[in-house]
């Protein structure tokens, strides 16, 4: 593994080891909004973390391949899927997505909050292009991301250039004759700081349909 790859793996393993559970366990709201109307088929969840999205999809009848760099996160996700009776619908795979990628094509490919403070330049764009290549004809690519820090974060602990919807579509570099943009939106929602302060957070949503 390259030095960059080792740094990413170490970062995310340490991140998940910091506490017994990092995320709420609930699916991402914007994924639920965009995917609920779709008939269940095959899905790829990139950067699945502790499995909230993948497990929600499985409960709705999707057959899911879920990938993450962290063995700790995948272990938690797999255990929860077993507890909830959907283990047989999810294939958990460990990947550093900049270096390896799940095999196959899928009716839904989701990349939700695929941000990393240790990513190399151009790494995320390369992953998103591989994500697009994994969408089956007629299928959907969904990219949800943060548009910036929450309003109550005055001094971010790391610098990160959050992509706009135009940045995401530009990075994908897809053929407009074979793809249709179904959602391109900036969504601002209420958010609560760890200390209880109220604020807002803006997210980007890009959903594309592969038409051919």
């Amino acid at each position: 593994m390259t030095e960059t790859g080792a740094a990413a793996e170490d970062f995310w393993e340490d991140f998940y080891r910091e506490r017994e559970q990092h995320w709420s366990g609930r699916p991402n709201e914007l994924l639920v909004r965009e995917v609920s109307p779709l008939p269940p088929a095959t899905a790829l969840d990139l950067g699945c973390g502790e499995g909230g999205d993948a497990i929600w999809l499985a409960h709705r009848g999707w057959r899911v391949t879920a990938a993450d760099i962290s063995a700790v996160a995948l272990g938690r996700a797999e255990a929860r899927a077993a507890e909830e009776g959907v283990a047989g619908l999810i294939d958990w795979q460990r990947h550093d997505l900049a270096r390896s990628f799940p095999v196959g094509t899928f009716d839904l490919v989701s990349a939700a909050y695929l941000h990393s403070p240790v990513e190399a330049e151009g790494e995320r764009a390369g992953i998103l292009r591989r994500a697009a290549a994994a969408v089956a004809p007629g299928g959907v690519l969904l990219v949800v991301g943060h548009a910036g820090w929450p309003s109550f974060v005055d001094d971010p602990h790391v610098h990160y250039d959050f992509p706009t919807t135009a940045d995401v579509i530009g990075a994908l570099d897809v053929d407009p004759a074979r793809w249709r943009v179904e959602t391109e939106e900036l969504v601002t929602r209420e958010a609560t700081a760890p200390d209880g302060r109220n604020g807002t957070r803006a997210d980007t949503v890009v959903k594309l349909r592969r038409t051919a």
Side-chain angles (χ1 to χ4, degrees):
M1 183 178 292
T2 65
E3 182 177 346
T4 302
E9 180 179 336
D10 290 346
F11 175 87
W12 289 110
E13 294 292 26
D14 290 345
F15 175 85
Y16 282 105
R17 288 192 185 106
E18 284 177 356
R19 61 184 75 170
E20 291 185 3
Q21 180 176 329
H22 256 282
W23 311 118
S24 68
R26 298 186 298 274
N28 289 304
E29 293 178 18
L30 294 170
L31 173 114
V32 171
R33 189 191 78 175
E34 296 295 330
V35 173
S36 289
L38 303 179
T42 59
L44 174 60
D45 181 10
L46 298 174
C48 66
E50 293 166 329
D53 288 354
I55 291 169
W56 178 82
L57 287 165
H59 276 301
R60 295 181 64 84
W62 291 81
R63 299 195 64 86
V64 186
T65 298
D68 202 273
I69 193 173
S70 169
V72 173
L74 288 169
R76 293 174 186 171
E78 188 170 8
R80 184 182 160 208
E83 290 173 1
E84 298 194 16
V86 294
L89 290 171
I90 308 175
D91 177 17
W92 304 101
Q93 297 185 12
R94 190 179 185 190
H95 290 275
D96 178 346
L97 293 171
R99 288 155 185 83
S100 65
F101 205 85
V103 175
T105 57
F106 306 85
D107 300 293
L108 168 67
V109 178
S110 172
Y113 305 107
L114 196 65
H115 305 297
S116 173
V118 292
E119 68 189 47
E121 184 176 354
E123 183 175 298
R124 185 174 187 271
I127 293 170
L128 292 182
R129 284 192 288 272
R130 294 187 75 176
V135 177
V140 165
L141 173 63
L142 177 64
V143 183
V144 176
H146 293 310
W149 296 104
S151 61
F152 44 74
V153 174
D154 302 316
D155 184 21
H157 58 285
V158 295
H159 173 75
Y160 190 83
D161 291 322
F162 292 95
T164 64
T165 56
D167 291 335
V168 171
I169 292 171
L172 288 168
D173 193 28
V174 294
D175 181 354
R178 299 177 61 197
W179 291 85
R180 180 176 70 247
V181 177
E182 294 191 339
T183 305
E184 182 183 357
E185 188 178 359
L186 179 67
V187 179
T188 300
R189 295 175 292 171
E190 294 182 357
T192 304
D195 62 8
R197 284 183 296 158
N198 294 323
T200 59
R201 177 146 211 176
D203 289 337
T204 56
V205 186
V206 173
K207 183 171 74 173
L208 297 93
R209 172 93 52 185
R210 182 177 172 185
T211 57

